[in-house]
Amino acid sequence: MTTAKDIMHSGAQWIPRHETLDRAAQMMRDLNVGALPVADENERLCGIITDRDIVVRCVAMGHDPAKVTCGEMAQGTPRWIEAGSDVSEVLTEMEGHQIRRLPVIENKKLVGMISEADLAQHLSDDQLKSFCEAVYARA
């Protein structure tokens, strides 16, 4: 059985919800990623911030990313997957919620992220096609 931990990119990092969006953008640049999980003071997932969120929902709306916090920007119920979950569960979660990145949690701690690039490296062509149809065709 292939698990979420088998296909994830390890080394993902949280950003605290009190940090500002300019700090999130700097972290994304330094880590060469397009999304960061947002954590509360107990390192519990409370959302995800993407580079697109910062541009479209902050900068393009005339807000100052140095004054808007990650917690203010994070919306909705955060989606995640247990490290030991089967890859079919990963696909169900990502397809069902039309998401392109999924935090991987083990013992209530962030251990990695699964992105489209991770899926492309580990899925069969048929699985990848199904994922793309589910996430992009309905978008």
Side-chain angles (χ1 to χ4, degrees), residues 64-78:
D64 182 353
K67 294 182 179 174
V68 178
T69 67
C70 293
E72 291 171 321
M73 188 63 56
Q75 292 182 333
T77 302

Side-chain angles (χ1 to χ4, degrees), residues 67-123:
K67 294 182 179 174
V68 178
T69 67
C70 293
E72 291 171 321
M73 188 63 56
Q75 292 182 333
T77 302
R79 309 307 310 176
W80 54 273
I81 195 91
E82 283 285 341
S85 298
D86 184 77
V87 72
S88 64
E89 295 174 69
V90 171
L91 291 172
T92 298
E93 186 70 18
M94 293 177 81
E95 290 172 2
H97 296 281
Q98 291 186 283
I99 55 177
R100 295 165 178 89
R101 298 171 184 101
L102 188 64
V104 181
I105 306 294
E106 186 173 55
N107 299 320
K108 298 183 180 180
K109 299 289 182 188
L110 178 71
V111 294
M113 289 278 280
I114 297 173
S115 69
E116 297 161 301
D118 299 313
L119 296 178
Q121 291 177 347
H122 294 93
L123 298 181

Side-chain angles (χ1 to χ4, degrees), residues 23-41:
R23 179 66 187 121
Q26 293 162 1
M27 279 185 70
M28 287 180 199
R29 177 201 60 212
D30 294 345
L31 297 169
N32 195 30
V33 298
L36 291 171
V38 179
D40 66 14
E41 52 280 345

